[in-house]
Amino acid sequence: MIEAKHISKHFGDLKALDDVSFKLANDEIVCIVGPSGSGKSTLCRALNGLELIDEGTIIYDEKVIDFTKKEDAHYVHAKTGFVFQHFNLFAHLKVIDNLLMPYLENYKVNKADALEKAKAILEKVGVADKIDDYPNKLSGGQKQRVAIARSLMLEPKILLMDEPTSALDPEMVKEVLDVMKEIAQSGMTMLIVTHEMNFAKNIADRIVFMDEGKIVEENDPYHFFNEPKTERLKLFLSKMLY
Amino acid sequence: MDIGAILTLDNITYLAYGAAMSLAIALIAVIGGIVIGTFIAILKLSKSKLLKLIGNIYVEVVRGTPMLLQILFFYLGIPVLYQLLFSDNLRVNIYACGILAMALNSGAYCAELIRSGIEGIDKGQREAGLTLNLSEKTIMTKIILPQAIRRIIPPLVSEFITLIKDSSLLGTIGVMELLNRAKIIGTNYYNYLIPLLVASAFYLVMTLFISYLSRILERRLAVYDRS
């Protein structure tokens, strides 16, 4: 379980996160939506220590986390996976080594077993035929599926996804969403920052709407879309939905 | 003008040895430069403001003064300092002194190449490493450096080529490198044109050949960049 209590983050004069409190329960799937610059990516990154917060507390399983401490950061990174908008595959490593290198650094296992495991995961996300390619040979959708496979390799309890389909060509979005849906159905705890409203509606237990560094409204998908309480969310939905 | 009288096998061999010496000097200097440059780059990349400052001062001083001055400083300046400090005469070896000056000079340029090569790696690579629970050391040695080194090697080869040409400055302190030998032949025959042309040919063969090797190396290293 993750909990953020009254966290704030400034970039110069900009308040990216303004006194945000947020909870992610075990086995819960939460989508964060909101306009660009609303702080949703910053929140996702802050929960994994990629942005250091200026104020507030981040708690994992009742343990207060200080990301400037190595052991706290490792505690979090050992149980969470993170998927980036721009994939961040290791450019100098073949697809298979993108999975193997971090795995073998984390676990003392024999390489043959690791190889088998990596192949099985790549098979599951549908890129088994690309194992010996370098990332630059892959399409955006394939890159993101490899990136997802790489984080799944470490068997995270929680998967944080920061706009995983935003950098993709439109016709590649679905193949990535399909993989995400499958992971969701496997019972993974997930936090997904996304612009894919229909996906959020179908998959999320709860949807969080952020604007100007604050959580404006959150609700289950039905009430979120059908009975928005704030004017800000109504306006947002009217612009996002056809 | 009797070209045949100058272009004897003896004279050409004499110049070829000079070329070999220039090449050897440049090679030792660039290796020294890479070692020194790595150290200075670490200073410049460190979080400590003091270490950063030391690295910056080194680079600015070396790059802001002529290499010939630096060579003369070691050859003529250091012995005076030694005399002052130890009241004893220091006999400097011109080769050691020249190569040291060139390596220290090259270190500043190499430091910048190494630093910018490391800083040029997309920060997402490091972030991915962090989220995959890798240590800073693993991120540096298994993710950043392997990518940075491939980018740094081509400009380091250019630095090597620059040093081959700059080794001609060591003739000033008496090192028998290629240009110095060409001048000696010119003096002997009262004809500088032919030996200078031959020396140019030697320099060009060396620099063009190394550029060619560098391009092959670059293509090999860039295997993952090709789409």
Side-chain angles (χ1 to χ4, degrees):
Chain A
M1 193 202 65
I2 312 179
E3 189 175 1
K5 281 185 180 167
H6 304 289
I7 61 172
S8 294
K9 171 73 185 174
H10 308 250
F11 295 112
D13 287 340
L14 179 80
K15 268 199 162 179
L17 291 177
D18 186 3
D19 191 24
V20 169
S21 294
F22 170 81
K23 259 188 195 179
L24 182 68
N26 287 339
D27 303 329
E28 197 180 19
I29 294 172
V30 172
C31 288
I32 307 182
V33 301
S36 305
S38 59
K40 54 194 192 303
S41 281
T42 308
L43 174 59
C44 188
R45 290 167 58 82
L47 293 176
N48 213 10
L50 294 175
E51 304 291 351
L52 297 176
I53 54 173
D54 300 325
E55 288 154 55
T57 318
I58 291 172
I59 299 162
Y60 274 73
D61 311 322
E62 275 134 47
K63 180 177 159 67
V64 173
I65 302 295
D66 176 357
F67 280 105
T68 60
K69 284 191 193 143
K70 266 188 196 159
E71 59 272 25
D72 282 16
H74 283 307
Y75 177 83
V76 169
H77 294 143
K79 60 167 24 201
T80 58
F82 197 96
V83 174
F84 298 86
Q85 182 178 352
H86 294 289
F87 331 121
N88 295 343
L89 291 175
F90 301 131
H92 63 303
L93 298 179
K94 291 175 177 176
V95 164
I96 189 74
D97 293 319
N98 262 276
L99 272 69
L100 288 178
M101 186 275 278
Y103 185 66
L104 295 172
E105 288 291 328
N106 274 279
Y107 301 103
K108 298 272 165 278
V109 289
N110 87 50
K111 208 176 163 193
D113 293 346
L115 188 64
E116 203 147 302
K117 183 182 163 85
K119 280 181 177 169
I121 293 177
L122 288 169
E123 183 91 40
K124 217 158 72 180
V125 302
V127 283
D129 54 330
K130 302 290 178 195
I131 58 171
D132 283 324
D133 284 340
Y134 284 98
N136 71 323
K137 290 252 175 114
L138 308 182
S139 71
Q142 290 167 339
K143 282 182 193 169
Q144 193 59 297
R145 284 183 283 149
V146 171
I148 292 170
R150 181 177 65 176
S151 61
L152 290 182
M153 188 77 184
L154 298 181
E155 295 176 12
K157 300 278 175 289
I158 304 163
L159 196 54
L160 305 171
M161 306 182 100
D162 182 12
E163 303 203 28
T165 60
S166 296
L168 300 178
D169 287 337
E171 73 266 31
M172 290 172 186
V173 169
K174 187 172 178 295
E175 65 190 49
V176 172
L177 293 180
D178 283 343
V179 168
M180 289 163 62
K181 190 173 169 191
E182 207 168 301
I183 298 166
Q185 285 164 350
S186 76
M188 177 80 74
T189 305
M190 295 170 88
L191 177 67
I192 307 166
V193 176
T194 186
H195 291 289
E196 300 292 332
M197 303 304 272
N198 278 321
F199 179 75
K201 187 193 280 184
N202 288 326
I203 202 179
D205 298 312
R206 180 160 55 101
I207 303 178
V208 173
F209 174 61
M210 288 187 70
D211 189 32
E212 295 182 344
K214 290 180 192 291
I215 291 179
V216 177
E217 188 168 341
E218 52 187 311
N219 220 326
D220 62 82
Y222 178 84
H223 290 95
F224 188 89
F225 286 102
N226 296 307
E227 295 169 19
K229 287 174 285 205
T230 58
E231 286 306 313
R232 186 66 194 88
L233 178 55
K234 281 178 199 165
L235 181 68
F236 179 74
L237 291 175
S238 74
K239 285 180 177 172
M240 290 295 287
L241 301 174
Y242 276 100
Chain B
M1 181 169 79
D2 187 359
I3 294 174
I6 303 177
L7 286 183
T8 60
L9 184 62
D10 273 359
N11 282 347
I12 296 204
T13 312
Y14 182 70
L15 289 175
Y17 277 123
M21 173 156 300
S22 292
L23 192 67
I25 288 170
L27 189 63
I28 301 170
V30 82
I31 291 169
I34 290 169
V35 173
I36 295 164
T38 304
F39 181 69
I40 300 293
I42 291 170
L43 294 185
K44 290 192 66 148
L45 289 168
S46 84
K47 285 182 187 129
S48 150
K49 281 204 176 127
L50 177 68
L51 295 182
K52 251 194 216 311
L53 182 70
I54 293 171
N56 283 332
I57 290 174
Y58 183 86
V59 170
E60 294 309 326
V61 167
V62 170
R63 295 204 306 185
T65 54
M67 192 196 270
L68 183 55
L69 185 152
Q70 294 160 17
I71 292 164
L72 293 176
F73 178 83
F74 278 91
Y75 180 58
L76 303 171
I78 293 287
V80 176
L81 196 64
Y82 189 86
Q83 171 78 47
L84 277 176
L85 290 176
F86 304 108
S87 316
D88 193 6
N89 287 325
L90 178 70
R91 289 184 61 89
V92 290
N93 176 310
I94 52 172
Y95 291 89
C97 173
I99 290 171
L100 180 66
M102 284 180 70
L104 286 167
N105 175 283
S106 180
Y109 291 92
C110 290
E112 285 301 285
L113 297 175
I114 292 166
R115 182 195 56 78
S116 66
I118 290 173
E119 286 186 339
I121 302 301
D122 183 70
K123 78 177 170 59
Q125 296 284 305
R126 178 172 174 274
E127 289 186 346
L130 287 175
T131 65
L132 292 161
N133 203 25
L134 302 178
S135 65
E136 290 286 356
K137 181 175 155 253
T138 305
I139 290 171
M140 190 44 92
T141 57
K142 299 243 164 131
I143 300 170
I144 309 287
L145 284 181
Q147 295 184 55
I149 283 169
R150 288 171 219 224
R151 290 182 181 207
I152 294 167
I153 284 176
L156 284 182
V157 174
S158 302
E159 172 66 12
F160 178 41
I161 290 173
T162 303
L163 288 180
I164 291 176
K165 293 180 290 176
D166 286 349
S167 67
S168 60
L169 294 171
L170 295 189
T172 317
I173 60 172
V175 170
M176 296 300 278
E177 43 71 46
L178 178 54
L179 182 61
N180 201 10
R181 288 178 185 232
K183 286 200 288 197
I184 287 167
I185 293 178
T187 312
N188 289 344
Y189 291 83
Y190 303 107
N191 178 343
Y192 288 94
L193 177 68
I194 303 301
L196 285 177
L197 283 175
V198 175
S200 305
F202 274 116
Y203 279 118
L204 277 170
V205 167
M206 290 191 284
T207 54
L208 291 177
F209 182 63
I210 291 164
S211 297
Y212 169 73
L213 289 183
S214 168
R215 275 199 298 280
I216 293 177
L217 185 67
E218 239 170 282
R219 273 204 291 277
R220 288 217 171 165
L221 291 172
V223 58
Y224 65 79
D225 284 333
R226 253 181 282 150
S227 37

